[in-house]
Amino acid sequence: LAKTTQPISMDSYEGQEVNITCSHNNIATNDYITWYQQFPSQGPRFIIQGYKTKVTNEVASLFIPADRKSSTLSLPRVSLSDTAVYYCLVGEISASKIIFGSGTRLSIRP
Amino acid sequence: GAGVSQSPSNKVTEKGKDVELRCDPISGHTALYWYRQRLGQGLEFLIYFQGNSAPDKSGLPSDRFSAERTGESVSTLTIQRTQQEDSAVYLCASSLGRGVLAEQYFGPGTRLTVT
């Protein structure tokens, strides 16, 4: 399993773009990168998944450079409701374990 | 449709007692996952079930923990002789696909407090 490293916490303000980077230096060829969001007292929620280059959905964008040793979750124009913990996961379909790690605690201020 | 449900939502038990936590996955989801989350910590993977395949139990913290799943339906996580360090939120998730690539849908969790 590829180990991931994320900042413990980040702060930003409403209306700003927030970028959270995850390092995964030993990512394997078959590994995908997945991000989840967790609000207090709730289970995590799937945000986005990608393998290479850029993926965009209605919530976020995921940027993955050519070497795939890191990835960046981009949240456009954040609001107070984006305050949550964000987890980066790396793995492939046959993995028997799933590592969420400690995540990044994002705090958005007015 | 209905999401993942877990019961009980809260459980307070005395040290040394056994507890059983239940998870009802989304209908049709073939995979089911159990996690533990201690206060202020990230998710700790415990075990996952995929169809009728035997699960990898190496993620369970100790032999006091066991998990069962009947077919592609309900699952139970049993903790025997509970200890104070077992206090945590136990989260269950289910997915259509398999493993980390599948979008997991989480239940609300069971908050376990061992006194």
Side-chain angles (χ1 to χ4, degrees):
Chain A
L1 291 170
K3 177 179 168 57
T4 61
T5 303
Q6 303 176 235
I8 294 173
S9 63
M10 293 180 66
D11 295 326
S12 189
Y13 294 90
E14 284 190 294
Q16 299 294 305
E17 178 184 82
V18 171
N19 296 308
I20 306 174
T21 296
C22 179
S23 297
H24 28 80
N25 290 319
N26 60 339
I27 190 169
T29 303
N30 295 329
D31 285 347
Y32 279 69
I33 300 152
T34 309
W35 286 80
Y36 280 79
Q37 174 191 56
Q38 186 179 25
F39 296 116
S41 302
Q42 295 185 26
R45 183 182 71 164
F46 174 94
I47 302 175
I48 197 166
Q49 183 179 85
Y51 182 80
K52 62 180 180 180
T53 62
K54 177 183 175 181
V55 180
T56 297
N57 62 22
E58 66 277 8
V59 176
S61 294
L62 179 59
F63 297 92
I64 306 168
D67 66 6
R68 305 201 324 125
K69 293 185 182 299
S70 67
S71 58
T72 299
L73 175 73
S74 181
L75 305 172
R77 298 179 300 282
V78 294
S79 65
L80 295 176
S81 63
D82 291 313
T83 294
V85 178
Y86 293 81
Y87 296 96
C88 165
L89 285 68
V90 174
E92 47 98 9
I93 191 169
S94 65
S96 61
K97 296 179 182 179
I98 298 160
I99 307 299
F100 267 77
S102 299
T104 297
R105 187 172 300 274
L106 175 65
S107 298
I108 306 300
R109 302 177 182 180
Chain B
V4 176
S5 61
Q6 293 186 245
S7 61
S9 55
N10 282 284
K11 177 71 176 179
V12 180
T13 190
E14 293 180 352
K15 177 181 173 181
K17 300 284 189 183
D18 298 351
V19 295
E20 187 174 278
L21 312 181
R22 177 186 170 106
C23 173
D24 284 272
I26 293 172
S27 178
H29 279 194
T30 57
L32 185 147
Y33 315 77
W34 283 99
Y35 298 88
R36 177 170 72 179
Q37 188 169 36
R38 292 194 168 108
L39 186 63
Q41 305 293 313
L43 276 75
E44 177 186 1
F45 171 81
L46 299 179
I47 194 169
Y48 101 92
F49 296 88
Q50 172 60 46
N52 293 320
S53 301
D56 179 345
K57 299 182 180 181
S58 62
L60 296 173
S62 75
D63 59 8
R64 296 186 295 106
F65 287 71
S66 62
E68 300 293 332
R69 187 181 186 195
T70 306
E72 294 183 354
S73 61
V74 65
S75 175
T76 55
L77 177 69
T78 301
I79 309 173
Q80 295 179 313
R81 305 181 302 283
T82 52
Q83 303 295 312
Q84 287 186 329
E85 64 260 29
D86 299 333
S87 295
V89 175
Y90 289 82
L91 290 160
C92 173
S94 69
S95 69
L96 271 174
R98 173 186 172 186
V100 71
L101 296 185
E103 179 176 349
Q104 296 179 43
Y105 294 81
F106 282 80
T110 293
R111 182 175 299 278
L112 175 65
T113 303
V114 182
T115 62

